[in-house]
Amino acid sequence: MRAFENNIRKVEPYVPGEQPQNKVIKLNTNENPYPPSPKVTEALAKMDTDRFRLYPDPTCGPLVEALAEFYHVDRDQVFVGVGSDDVLSMCFLTFFNSKKPILFPDITYSFYKVWAELYRIPYECQRLDGNFRIVKEDYYKENGGIIFPNPNAPTAIYEELDFVEDIIRANPDVIVIVDEAYIDFAGRSALELIDKYENLIVVQTFSKARSMAGMRIGYAISNPVLIKYLNDAKYSFNSYTMNQAALVCGTEAVKDREYFEEGIRKIIETREWAKDRLARIGFICLDSSANFIFAMHPDYDAKELFEEMKANGIYVRYWGSERIEQYMRITIGTREEMEELFRFLEKYMGVK
Ligand code: PMP
């Protein structure tokens, strides 16, 4: 080993789901199967590319304002970034600087562990119970900060707001981040608690309900004090995080509430139908409140089924990691895509 190797920051990176370039039924990375709002398409067509000569607005002004209006908060309560991954990473860097371990579930978004390792933040995973539920009492001990998604991923299980509030209330001395990537398909958001708890940050994304994973837009909403700390870290890292196209398209997407709500309704409808269809062919599904379903079949090996599906052009996500070796995560596609999935599954299982 060369001497300089000692001084290199080594990380085991997060592994994103595959993005196959050929045409497949893509149910593997929780994207939205429907296009973004037509207002986004219009704005992009009209975009003045001469603006590309210039750096974008570092404050992301119009996008921040649109989000503030949508969520009935002040502009200084909103922080935007390049997908919620960027926002969450900034939150780790900014808020998790204790020597005590941060806490998050053992089965959850696998990026948390990667950021903790990258930034050298001590962490301790808290075991989900036998039904894959978060045990709130596990978060009542001394810690350096808390993060969990609600609904959790990849389980898709949503915990009621009272449950979330109990965790926030029990931890006034640390920052609690609620990662709400999938909240639009679920229930009440922790945004309702923003004014009540000064240690709360809520993070959401345009990648799921707003159909814009490719534009990379995420945001945090909190009180002005914590948002200022986040911005200070951001401006010390990269002032121009959001590109001009993302700023314009994101702003238009937020303004189209009707399209947003209609898209959510369609996904939920397909999800409930798909849960029922899966159950009818013997799958055991965790109760999903997201745009995906975490499922296992007692009679079929998940890895074999996953590989067979892939060979047939149907991509879902499979990890094979401890406790979830027999589970796969299926993103909700269009009704037609889901019909294709069921045609395949029924054939595979010899269902008449
Ligand atoms: N949080 C959770 C729980 C997720 O599943 C994802 C999607 N991979 C993200 C955050 C990040 O999404 P994005 O960066 O596209 O906003």
Side-chain angles (χ1 to χ4, degrees), residues 15-56:
V15 183
E18 278 181 79
Q19 294 295 339
Q21 297 304 306
N22 52 331
K23 197 154 172 37
V24 299
I25 297 193
K26 198 169 175 309
L27 308 175
N28 69 331
T29 48
N30 295 347
E31 290 136 331
N32 195 309
Y34 301 108
S37 157
K39 302 255 167 62
V40 172
T41 315
E42 268 167 46
L44 198 56
K46 278 198 270 180
M47 195 140 62
D48 177 8
T49 52
D50 189 48
R51 290 291 299 272
F52 289 4
R53 288 187 306 105
L54 308 174
Y55 287 107

Side-chain angles (χ1 to χ4, degrees), residues 82-139:
V82 188
S84 55
D85 281 341
D86 178 45
V87 176
L88 290 165
S89 158
M90 274 292 138
C91 287
F92 271 59
L93 183 67
T94 310
F95 301 120
F96 293 161
N97 289 291
S98 168
K99 291 197 168 45
K100 293 177 199 155
I102 61 164
L103 309 179
F104 50 82
D106 64 339
I107 299 169
T108 194
Y109 187 33
S110 54
F111 226 140
Y112 300 161
K113 196 179 277 190
V114 176
W115 287 314
E117 300 271 359
L118 176 66
Y119 296 133
R120 312 283 191 257
I121 301 164
Y123 63 93
E124 207 181 84
C125 297
Q126 305 304 304
R127 197 176 161 86
L128 298 184
D129 73 10
N131 298 317
F132 294 111
R133 305 290 291 261
I134 293 173
V135 180
K136 67 181 178 190
E137 291 77 12
D138 289 347
Y139 297 80

Side-chain angles (χ1 to χ4, degrees), residues 79-92 109 111-112 115 147 179-182 202-208 213 216-220:
F79 174 84
V80 298
V82 188
S84 55
D85 281 341
D86 178 45
V87 176
L88 290 165
S89 158
M90 274 292 138
C91 287
F92 271 59
Y109 187 33
F111 226 140
Y112 300 161
W115 287 314
I147 179 161
D179 175 356
E180 293 191 334
Y182 303 102
V202 178
V203 176
Q204 298 188 358
T205 180
F206 281 53
S207 299
K208 316 297 175 185
R216 311 304 300 126
I217 308 172
Y219 51 99

